[in-house]
Amino acid sequence: MADTRTYGGYRTGGLWAAVGISFTAVLIGSGLALFLMLEYDERCSQGLVQGPGGLRGIRNQAFPPATVCEFERGEVSSLGNAWVLGALLWVALVVLVVCLFTALVADWFEPRPGDPLVEPRSRAEQVSRTGAAFFVTGSLFLLLYALAGWELFTGPSSACSASGDWGYHPPRTLEYSFFPPQATCQYASGTTEHLTSGWLSSLTALSALPALVAGVGFALARRRRRGGERRAAAPLSAPAEERSRELP
């Protein structure tokens, strides 16, 4: 028999709205920052970007997305005068992380109804909500993991040579790990570099955290629902057991 009683759950609608708004802001802002990066490294290497001293190197910054030209006495970023965009991206990211984790952790608890922050909710609704959150966060983690570590699936010890025709001198895989998905490649010249971009490997590892939090909430909701169903079915079976004992 299903447990149809009403329990309590924290009101997280505002948190999820903030998650959606901040996530959209991060996407749009990152897209604009990526647009500003177009051909910026070539401009820097050709001397079209002025900086303090001589040019020492060029690197790509993961977040906010930017190409950074490193000079002897300082750095110049592709964001340039758009530093406000970088600040807004950091604010949006912080809001996204805080609201997301707060909303997911709130689903771990089952407060008593009556508080202004609590809304009535059946355990079936709790399972549905937490299951949807677990599906979304888990799918995002699996997608990022596949993008970051697909070469490892072809053979960890030969991951560095899996994505190209290297002839007689394929790069060697010196070391690898499945979490975060990463490998160190050594080329014929002796130089070494990571198989996966550092920012993608780090993002993949971080994306496992919301999936884990959502998974805990989903497991708790399912456990509570099964416990409620067993308690609801117990009174129905008691009279039948009493009648069976009265029979000769």
Side-chain angles (χ1 to χ4, degrees), residues 39-228:
E39 299 182 356
Y40 193 83
D41 54 345
E42 294 184 7
R43 293 177 55 201
C44 192
S45 60
Q46 294 173 3
L48 300 178
V49 177
Q50 300 298 320
L55 180 65
R56 299 178 56 184
I58 303 172
R59 62 181 174 86
N60 290 325
Q61 179 177 285
F63 191 86
T67 298
V68 179
C69 303
E70 300 175 334
F71 295 92
E72 293 178 347
R73 296 189 299 274
E75 299 178 346
V76 178
S77 171
S78 59
L79 290 175
N81 295 328
W83 61 270
V84 176
L85 174 61
L88 290 176
L89 279 172
W90 275 114
V91 171
L93 181 64
V94 170
V95 172
L96 171 63
V97 172
V98 171
C99 292
L100 176 62
F101 276 90
T102 304
L104 291 176
V105 172
D107 283 328
W108 290 6
F109 305 100
E110 193 176 70
R112 293 181 179 179
D115 191 278
L117 297 178
V118 178
E119 62 182 356
R121 190 183 303 165
S122 68
R123 283 181 170 168
E125 291 177 310
Q126 292 175 348
V127 172
S128 178
R129 286 168 61 97
T130 55
F134 182 46
F135 175 78
V136 172
T137 55
S139 298
L140 178 61
F141 166 70
L142 292 177
L143 175 61
L144 290 174
Y145 192 93
L147 291 174
W150 69 268
E151 289 97 340
L152 293 172
F153 303 152
T154 63
S157 60
S158 59
C160 293
S161 59
S163 58
D165 185 9
W166 301 98
Y168 296 103
H169 302 286
R172 295 174 54 202
T173 304
L174 299 182
E175 56 184 14
Y176 61 87
S177 66
F178 284 98
F179 190 83
Q182 187 59 275
T184 301
C185 305
Q186 183 180 48
Y187 297 91
S189 61
T191 60
T192 60
E193 66 178 30
H194 290 308
L195 176 66
T196 304
S197 299
W199 67 268
L200 180 57
S201 181
S202 300
L203 183 61
T204 301
L206 291 175
S207 68
L209 293 177
L212 177 61
V213 175
V216 171
F218 180 56
L220 288 174
R222 284 179 58 86
R223 181 180 179 182
R224 288 169 182 154
R225 185 180 184 185
R226 289 179 178 177

